[in-house]
Amino acid sequence: MRAAEPRIELASHAALQSTLQRLWQDAVMREPALAGLRGAPALDTLALHAVAFDQDDRPLGTARLSPDHRLGPLLVLPEARSRGIGQALLAALAGAARLRHCRQLTLEAPLALHAFFAAQGFIPEGEPHSREGIPHQSMRRAFDGAVVIEDPAQAAAACIGITAGTRRTLRIYSRELDPGLLDQPALVQRIRRLCTGTRDAMVQILLHDAQAPQRASAPLLALSQRLPSRFALRQVSDPVDQAYPSAYLVNDRGGYYFRTLGHRLEGEADMDGAGRARQLRDSFASVWERARPCAELRALGL
């Protein structure tokens, strides 16, 4: 049976002090390396805390939001991991931050969890660094408009965030499935999760060169052949469309990552850009109607 959804409680440190103390003591006993990641106790008293409880009111995990809009360490007990609890904690604190009119949230993510936080809309900033001997990455989630994408790590995080934020339909406009970006394992896995875990999920892909992914043995093309009912691929054929220089991913919840020059990674991304996302979806639909279905790609490997 599927585990019941956790109950998330938001409260001050004073209201949750004993619960937080038990949680951290339990966690550190099992994983001593966590001891140095909690941060200064003084930060606890000023922060808004989120705690996840199971149906028996047993605490399973916690996170905190400091007055400077920084998310503190995310802690989920080992037996409760991979159940969406971390995501639920972050969503609760992000909702509280929006109510407080925060323009952004920042955090220090263990590098091993980079893809997880990217899926929650966080974009990396700066170079990885060490904290208590564990590699970390500074990340930021903006609520006040698009963020500039400048490097491969930011581009990968934007793609993961857009895909993870998809309700049912993800649209990809790419010249040749962007080797080095759309073939990254974490992104391909996230797209596979969308296709296998969401009813009626669909990934529509518009290409300029439909043969290039075949020659490169693109992982996303291979995935489309394993899940043919979840993918539709077309190649632009109209000369005006072929001259279009840009590329983008756009979902059906207002998220997009747009690159003015499709052969480069630099661009902008917004997880909540409903207006711009609608424009991109409409543009995509117009080109899609004129484009040629890539039946030859669907037949490969079957």
Side-chain angles (χ1 to χ4, degrees):
M1 291 180 59
R2 183 177 177 180
E5 294 293 323
R7 174 176 62 85
I8 306 297
E9 182 176 334
L10 294 173
S12 67
H13 179 259
L16 293 170
Q17 184 173 5
S18 60
T19 299
L20 293 169
Q21 185 174 356
R22 290 198 312 273
L23 257 175
W24 277 100
Q25 286 177 343
D26 188 7
V28 171
M29 278 180 62
R30 303 192 218 181
E31 299 177 275
L34 294 173
L37 299 182
R38 185 177 181 183
L43 295 177
D44 274 342
T45 62
L46 300 173
L48 174 68
H49 294 263
V51 175
F53 295 89
D54 66 12
Q55 57 188 351
D56 297 319
D57 287 330
R58 186 173 70 95
L60 303 175
T62 184
R64 73 180 180 216
L65 174 64
S66 66
D68 62 352
H69 311 151
R70 182 176 295 273
L71 287 172
L74 174 65
L75 172 69
V76 178
L77 295 179
E79 66 272 20
R81 292 170 187 168
S82 302
R83 288 167 46 184
I85 291 172
Q87 180 179 351
L89 288 166
L90 290 180
L93 289 175
R98 287 176 182 274
L99 291 175
R100 297 180 177 193
H101 306 290
C102 296
R103 299 179 63 185
Q104 65 177 22
L105 291 177
T106 60
L107 57 77
E108 297 293 316
L111 205 55
L113 296 179
H114 173 274
F116 167 79
F117 287 103
Q120 317 312 315
F122 287 84
I123 301 295
E125 291 190 321
E127 297 296 323
H129 53 275
S130 179
R131 183 180 173 194
E132 300 293 329
I134 300 174
H136 275 68
Q137 172 70 61
S138 299
M139 304 185 78
R140 177 169 68 98
R141 170 70 160 94
F143 297 131
D144 59 348
V147 298
V148 175
I149 303 299
E150 299 179 308
D151 60 42
Q154 292 178 333
C159 290
I160 291 172
I162 299 304
T163 302
T166 301
R167 180 181 290 109
R168 284 194 176 88
T169 305
L170 176 68
R171 297 170 176 89
I172 301 173
Y173 194 113
S174 170
R175 308 192 72 78
E176 51 186 44
L177 277 187
D178 294 293
L181 178 63
L182 298 183
D183 56 3
Q184 296 198 38
L187 175 60
V188 176
Q189 175 63 20
R190 180 60 61 171
I191 294 176
R192 190 191 73 80
R193 186 182 303 180
L194 167 68
C195 293
T196 59
T198 302
R199 185 177 181 180
D200 300 327
M202 175 60 65
V203 179
Q204 295 180 315
I205 302 176
L206 269 171
L207 297 166
H208 278 218
D209 181 356
Q211 299 308 310
Q214 178 185 352
R215 293 192 296 268
S217 299
L220 195 53
L221 177 58
L223 180 63
S224 76
Q225 292 161 358
R226 291 196 297 272
L227 300 170
S229 66
R230 300 300 190 188
F231 283 82
L233 295 91
R234 294 190 179 187
Q235 178 174 300
V236 298
S237 52
D238 187 287
V240 174
D241 298 333
Q242 291 173 342
Y244 184 68
S246 304
Y248 54 86
L249 279 74
V250 60
N251 66 24
D252 50 3
R253 273 187 170 153
Y256 71 88
Y257 165 36
F258 178 82
R259 295 175 285 142
T260 302
L261 298 177
H263 65 285
R264 298 181 63 88
L265 297 177
E266 293 89 345
E268 67 174 28
D270 193 341
M271 304 300 157
D272 307 294
R276 178 59 171 147
R278 188 180 306 111
Q279 292 175 350
L280 291 173
R281 290 196 302 269
D282 291 346
S283 176
F284 187 100
S286 297
V287 180
W288 185 263
E289 291 301 315
R290 299 189 292 269
R292 174 185 69 83
C294 298
E296 72 279 14
L297 297 184
R298 181 176 294 274
L300 290 174
L302 298 180

